[in-house]
Amino acid sequence: MRCDEVREVLAEHLLGTLPEPEDLEVRGHLRGCAGCRREMAALAEGVSLFSRAAHETAPPEGLKERVLSVLEEEWAQQPAPAGAARKWNWMAAAAAIVVLAGSLGWAAAADRRAVRYEADAANYQNFLGVLGGENVRVGTLSPRGSRDLHGSVVLYDAKAGEQSWALLLVRAPGMEGTADVTLSSSDGRTIRLHELTFEAGGDASTWLVTSSSLKPYDRVAVTAPDGTQIATGTISGERTPTG
Amino acid sequence: MRSRDPGSDAALMRAFSRREPGAAEGLYERYASRIYGLGIVMLGNDATAQDLVQDTFVKLWRSAERYEPSRGKLDTWVLLVARSLAIDALRRRVLDARSLQAIGLPGEVSGEPGPEEVAETADLADRARRAMVSLSDGQRAALELAYFGGKTSAEVAEMEGIPLGTAKTRIRTALLRLREAMEEHREV
Ligand SMILES: [Zn+2]
């Protein structure tokens, strides 16, 4: 699509009325064209202004409490109902945690090497293959700086109608407190996993189950609360099993 | 105007999906009056407008992880979610009205529109309303059909009896014109 073609339909893209195939093209174009993004920002400001002018009305007292308490109820029932058609992958994820933890000898030997972890991640991929879990990708964490740290990340890219999930296990003797784990894609998108909490001995694990596709995400970073990166890794689907 | 960068939109939604109560409240403060007002305009009464606010927030929560800042501002996303729920409610209402007619009962009882208390008009909303005056009737109608009705440009063209290109231009010009008019008012 050329810029002039995109600009002609940008308002529709914003208002959510552009048919999907064309909308997809527009989104692709916008990712790589700053000029059209600027134009879209101007139109978006127009939409925002229109919403205020056309229908901003103070809601009645009490509605806020009602909405917040409904959300509390919703949270109390987590995981949120995911729709009957959606296959739930909790079982696989739970099994995965147990097996991966076991295969890494989590409670045992402290002197494992990164190589070994890499092999384990590959074994894990085999294990999921056996479970029927295709679309599994793995990555190995590399420490930033001289810290002693090992770990793996496993991503399951769901097929349509399923939940995707990510699982990260790390061991960093001496680490305490919490850390953030972020997956990122080459086009700048990020997703955060649940916060990582290090136990005594420096073991920690975290996960995420989501309806979003994890396919675009191919990098992982572990970041301390003060913003310094502790570890990073690249996630690939091509790893073959090793001894 | 309070403009937020996409980063803070993303941060707000992330906090919301992590159930931080402050984030839920922040979202409410930011959007409740616009969602409620959308309900008043589209659905015509206070009770259904309140329901719309509740349903929108539940839906926002359930799809919080699907929000991608790269695909657009949070403002537009929230409004699109609210609009699609309002359109669903309208469809249901049409169906209900038909079935009530079929069994000989009166339809919608309370047609009384409008909130009891008059909205405390924020300065921004006020200026936005003044900016609306600068739109032509045609521009405004096209924008309303697309915005409230979720109509494609082709549908707008058909309903308004205008060429497709004109429909597209009207919607686009209306949005840009609003923004320009706001700038002018700001400078006054
Ligand atoms: Zn362009």
Side-chain angles (χ1 to χ4, degrees):
Chain A
M1 256 176 142
R2 295 192 318 263
C3 288
D4 56 327
E5 294 169 320
V6 168
R7 289 182 192 201
E8 191 175 74
V9 297
L10 267 185
E12 285 183 275
H13 161 70
L14 265 177
L15 293 167
T17 58
L18 198 62
E20 186 58 35
E22 214 178 338
D23 203 61
L24 204 67
E25 277 188 59
V26 169
R27 296 203 304 262
H29 180 94
L30 285 170
R31 280 199 290 276
C33 178
C36 287
R37 281 203 301 274
R38 255 197 309 279
E39 168 97 1
M40 185 174 73
L43 289 167
E45 217 176 295
V47 172
S48 189
L49 288 170
F50 180 77
S51 74
R52 288 178 188 279
H55 58 77
E56 184 162 61
T57 311
E61 290 293 318
L63 181 59
K64 183 170 163 185
E65 274 61 48
R66 173 175 150 191
V67 169
L68 292 179
S69 72
V70 163
L71 288 174
E72 296 273 344
E73 236 174 87
E74 179 86 6
W75 294 344
Q77 285 186 4
Q78 180 65 351
R86 186 161 286 151
K87 271 196 259 154
W88 196 244
N89 273 302
W90 278 105
M91 290 296 290
I97 293 172
V98 172
V99 171
L100 183 53
S103 84
L104 293 180
W106 218 233
D111 62 344
R112 292 189 180 259
R113 295 276 176 267
V115 179
R116 176 76 187 130
Y117 279 82
E118 218 165 305
D120 284 329
N123 285 342
Y124 177 66
Q125 193 173 6
N126 287 351
F127 158 75
L128 278 167
V130 174
L131 259 188
E134 302 151 38
N135 307 331
V136 173
R137 292 177 295 145
V138 293
T140 305
L141 290 175
S142 316
R144 306 302 294 252
S146 56
R147 188 186 301 279
D148 178 15
L149 179 147
H150 306 290
S152 304
V153 60
V154 182
L155 261 61
Y156 174 73
D157 302 317
K159 284 165 273 187
E162 289 184 334
Q163 304 265 318
S164 299
W165 51 261
L167 169 68
L168 178 133
L169 293 169
V170 60
R171 165 173 293 166
M175 270 299 281
E176 287 174 342
T178 61
D180 278 331
V181 177
T182 312
L183 301 174
S184 56
S185 68
S186 48
D187 63 359
R189 276 180 280 176
T190 59
I191 280 194
R192 251 199 227 193
L193 273 62
H194 297 273
E195 196 174 61
L196 203 58
T197 304
F198 289 93
E199 291 162 22
D203 289 353
S205 64
T206 181
W207 50 274
L208 170 86
V209 177
T210 172
S211 330
S212 320
S213 168
L214 291 177
K215 285 208 175 77
Y217 298 90
D218 56 6
R219 274 165 296 160
V220 60
V222 182
T223 313
D226 67 4
T228 34
Q229 280 199 338
I230 302 168
T232 55
T234 309
I235 302 157
S236 86
E238 274 99 64
R239 189 149 297 152
T240 46
T242 52
Chain B
M1 92 171 261
R2 279 181 308 167
S3 73
R4 282 159 227 261
D5 59 77
S8 72
D9 279 358
L12 181 58
M13 285 313 280
R14 224 171 22 233
F16 182 51
S17 71
R18 275 187 270 152
R19 310 172 191 193
E20 290 170 20
E25 222 172 318
L27 271 181
Y28 184 91
E29 297 298 346
R30 199 160 146 191
Y31 295 114
S33 60
R34 273 183 279 172
I35 301 169
Y36 178 76
L38 187 77
I40 293 286
V41 170
M42 287 182 72
L43 304 169
N45 69 57
D46 169 61
T48 47
Q50 291 201 39
D51 286 343
L52 180 68
V53 177
Q54 173 176 336
D55 294 354
T56 303
F57 274 90
V58 169
K59 184 148 185 192
L60 288 176
W61 151 251
R62 290 186 185 164
S63 50
E65 287 184 344
R66 256 169 282 168
Y67 171 66
E68 290 171 31
S70 61
R71 281 181 61 171
K73 282 178 65 176
L74 187 55
D75 273 30
T76 2
W77 190 63
V78 170
L79 290 166
L80 292 188
V81 167
R83 180 186 71 188
S84 96
L85 287 171
I87 290 176
D88 287 348
L90 281 173
R91 281 202 195 106
R92 265 198 313 276
R93 191 184 289 180
V94 169
L95 291 176
D96 288 350
R98 276 193 202 136
S99 54
L100 286 174
Q101 264 173 357
I103 55 170
L105 290 173
E108 193 78 10
V109 183
S110 148
E112 201 53 48
E116 272 57 57
E117 57 255 69
V118 176
E120 201 179 280
T121 20
D123 172 55
L124 185 63
D126 212 42
R127 281 194 290 148
R129 274 175 203 135
R130 272 185 281 148
M132 286 277 271
V133 179
S134 64
L135 302 186
S136 74
D137 289 348
Q139 286 169 350
R140 189 175 169 150
L143 179 54
E144 283 178 350
L145 282 170
Y147 181 94
F148 290 119
K151 303 290 180 200
T152 63
S153 293
E155 289 167 327
V156 172
E158 202 186 319
M159 294 169 89
E160 292 285 284
I162 51 178
L164 176 61
T166 311
K168 286 184 173 172
T169 314
R170 281 190 186 170
I171 297 169
R172 180 166 177 274
T173 315
L175 291 173
L176 293 175
R177 182 77 202 104
L178 272 177
R179 185 168 162 273
E180 277 163 27
M182 278 295 278
E183 301 279 323
E184 286 160 17
H185 286 299
R186 193 189 332 223
E187 277 150 23
V188 170

